[in-house]
Amino acid sequence: MSTLLTKNICPCSAHHNLPYYWRSMNAIHQRWAKNGGKPSVRLPSRHQRVYATAQNADELHEYAFEMAASSIRYGKGVTREVGYDLRELNATKVAVFADPNIAKQPDNSPVNVVLQALHDAGLAYEVFSDIMIEPTDSSLRAAIEFAQKGNFNAFVAVGGGSTMDTAKAANLYSSYPPEDFFDYVNPPLGKGLPPPGPLKPLIAIPTTAGTGSETTGVAIFDWEEKGFKTGIAHRLLKPTLGIVDPNNTRTCPPNVIAASGFDVLCHSLESYTALPFSLRTPRPETPKLRPAYQGSNPISDFWSLKALEMTSKYIVRAYSDPEDEEARSQMILAATYAGIGFGNAGVHLCHGMSYPIAGGAHKLDFLPEGYPAGRSMVPHGMSVILNAPAVFEWTAEACPHRHLHAAQVMGADTTNVADADAGKVLVQKILELMYALNIPNGLKAIGYTEADIPNLVQGTLPQHRVTKLSPRPVDEEALTQLFTRTMSIY
């Protein structure tokens, strides 16, 4: 085994960047020797993994990872099968969570197809469409109240990530009402308590090609009081079934296609470059406490890389021509692939930094075309991709081989490219796509200034669920540098 590792041919993600790994381990051993064998010695700052890696010998690394994803059904027209599925799940009264814009569309809209299927199956239902694009704690509370009063025994979500995440939260909180709203919210902002037991059946039907929420146990929302995003994450939140129907993205505006597609891109890149699962600490006391976001692992790698390949090939086509059926079909499938990948590996800094960007959008005057009028907002995928150039150039030092491989999957020629240039090569491919899809030129272009950087940093620091998975340790100083670079991109 030692020979295998020394030659750096072990395919396991934990051993992918052995030079960086061994430098860190050698530093630990040298410090232990100088300190008389005492284990509680911190690494030199350039080798520290501030949140993720053990600082003493008593803090054991993770040794396992789990794969959990919803059952998936893919195909044009499969939305009409939802009534049959609910009857098989013994549903009698169904809560239908519907994107408010799609709910207003004509008879052949995804929402109306679902309602007709429920009617044909003889199922009672009520529709909740008071859903906010980019949900807040207030909008979730309204959805939870609806679910609690309705006494439903099954849920359907028809819409983008905001709709699916709202339905997940409503299912959880109505099934097991907590003493405090933040009991289930991710630490350190909440207690991060696991659900006491199984939830009611939830069928998720995405109408955008982006979040992959139909596969994951994650629900994200804006905490209005603090002005940044947080969320709830546990495997039990994942939908029972994801119905992935390419027909449901036919009416997506180009800007929604772009933002959603870049969410897929970053899901793929971040999960593939995340801290390896076997370097995450502390090891959970029981399997039940193993987090949904576990770090890069061999199975997630497969799904993430395939999603990255598909997105790189089809995103510009889907954006340029909404009638391109092949591109739309491949993008919604890529979103699901990426959801399986990042839903078990996790994301890191692009998403962690995006939460205060999107959460603080109400203070701006940014009204993106294709989204609800009259409300300043930064679409989730846009808030994520704006960080990508700075983040991946910075993280490449930790695992250059992975960054180079990602660039190669995106179409870059990596022949004879030095490890030191891995970040630049990957970033160049990202910038080409951003420019082609008319992404704004950094945070200044959407209304932020350098004076906002301290608040953006403070809004990122508590996002431990994702920042802990950065392949390089991140602190206040590093985040300040990253946000400064993100002010202007091109």
Side-chain angles (χ1 to χ4, degrees), residues 324-482:
D324 187 333
E325 191 169 317
E326 180 187 19
R328 284 192 300 101
S329 298
Q330 290 298 304
M331 282 303 302
I332 197 171
L333 192 57
T336 300
Y337 279 28
I340 296 171
F342 92 87
N344 292 280
V347 289
H348 54 82
L349 295 181
C350 295
H351 274 74
M353 293 169 63
S354 79
Y355 295 153
I357 293 172
H362 63 281
K363 300 177 183 178
L364 309 177
D365 188 23
F366 186 67
L367 304 172
E369 187 177 347
Y371 288 85
R375 177 189 170 210
S376 179
M377 64 173 295
V378 182
H380 172 65
M382 183 183 293
S383 69
V384 172
I385 196 64
L386 287 173
N387 303 313
V391 165
F392 289 113
E393 187 165 1
W394 186 78
T395 57
E397 175 186 312
C399 44
H401 296 158
R402 290 210 155 213
H403 286 65
L404 278 175
H405 185 55
Q408 185 180 30
V409 170
M410 293 182 70
D413 181 1
T414 59
T415 306
N416 299 323
V417 175
D419 285 357
D421 295 324
K424 293 179 181 178
V425 174
L426 176 57
V427 167
Q428 181 58 39
K429 298 305 296 182
I430 296 171
L431 287 172
E432 290 174 7
L433 292 178
M434 293 176 66
Y435 191 78
L437 272 63
N438 296 309
I439 293 298
N441 185 19
L443 296 182
K444 285 186 177 179
I446 63 174
Y448 283 106
T449 69
E450 282 85 355
D452 296 308
I453 291 177
N455 286 336
L456 294 172
V457 170
Q458 293 305 312
T460 305
L461 287 172
Q463 309 296 339
H464 291 183
R465 179 178 60 94
V466 292
T467 57
K468 286 181 179 181
L469 293 175
S470 170
R472 282 186 69 182
V474 65
D475 56 16
E476 187 170 344
E477 180 181 358
L479 287 171
T480 299
Q481 294 173 358
L482 291 171

Side-chain angles (χ1 to χ4, degrees), residues 159-387:
S162 297
T163 301
M164 291 184 278
D165 287 3
T166 298
K168 291 176 188 177
N171 190 4
L172 171 62
Y173 282 78
S174 63
S175 297
Y176 303 102
E179 293 183 6
D180 183 85
F181 179 81
F182 283 87
D183 282 354
Y184 294 128
V185 174
N186 299 321
L189 303 175
K191 295 180 180 178
L193 298 180
L199 305 187
K200 297 168 185 174
L202 164 62
I203 297 179
I205 306 175
T207 59
T208 61
T211 67
S213 187
E214 68 275 7
T215 72
T216 73
V218 178
I220 303 298
F221 65 91
D222 287 338
W223 186 2
E224 294 170 293
E225 180 183 342
K226 298 294 184 181
F228 54 73
K229 288 180 180 288
T230 183
I232 307 161
H234 195 276
R235 290 177 184 82
L236 290 177
L237 266 71
K238 66 182 176 65
T240 310
L241 172 66
I243 293 181
V244 182
D245 186 343
N247 289 345
N248 292 340
T249 62
R250 285 179 299 189
T251 60
C252 275
N255 276 359
V256 175
I257 292 172
S260 300
F262 278 126
D263 198 19
V264 180
L265 189 83
C266 285
H267 285 159
S268 306
L269 286 170
E270 289 175 76
S271 59
Y272 183 62
T273 59
L275 182 81
F277 78 93
S278 56
L279 294 183
R280 197 189 74 251
T281 61
R283 181 187 301 174
E285 294 180 6
T286 68
K288 183 179 180 180
L289 297 178
R290 183 166 285 122
Y293 284 5
Q294 303 165 88
S296 60
N297 61 78
I299 300 180
S300 285
D301 288 351
F302 173 84
W303 293 99
S304 297
L305 287 174
K306 187 61 179 177
L308 179 62
E309 175 189 338
M310 295 164 70
T311 304
S312 301
K313 182 177 181 180
Y314 291 106
I315 187 172
V316 175
R317 283 175 52 181
Y319 171 80
S320 302
D321 181 10
E323 298 300 319
D324 187 333
E325 191 169 317
E326 180 187 19
R328 284 192 300 101
S329 298
Q330 290 298 304
M331 282 303 302
I332 197 171
L333 192 57
T336 300
Y337 279 28
I340 296 171
F342 92 87
N344 292 280
V347 289
H348 54 82
L349 295 181
C350 295
H351 274 74
M353 293 169 63
S354 79
Y355 295 153
I357 293 172
H362 63 281
K363 300 177 183 178
L364 309 177
D365 188 23
F366 186 67
L367 304 172
E369 187 177 347
Y371 288 85
R375 177 189 170 210
S376 179
M377 64 173 295
V378 182
H380 172 65
M382 183 183 293
S383 69
V384 172
I385 196 64
L386 287 173
N387 303 313

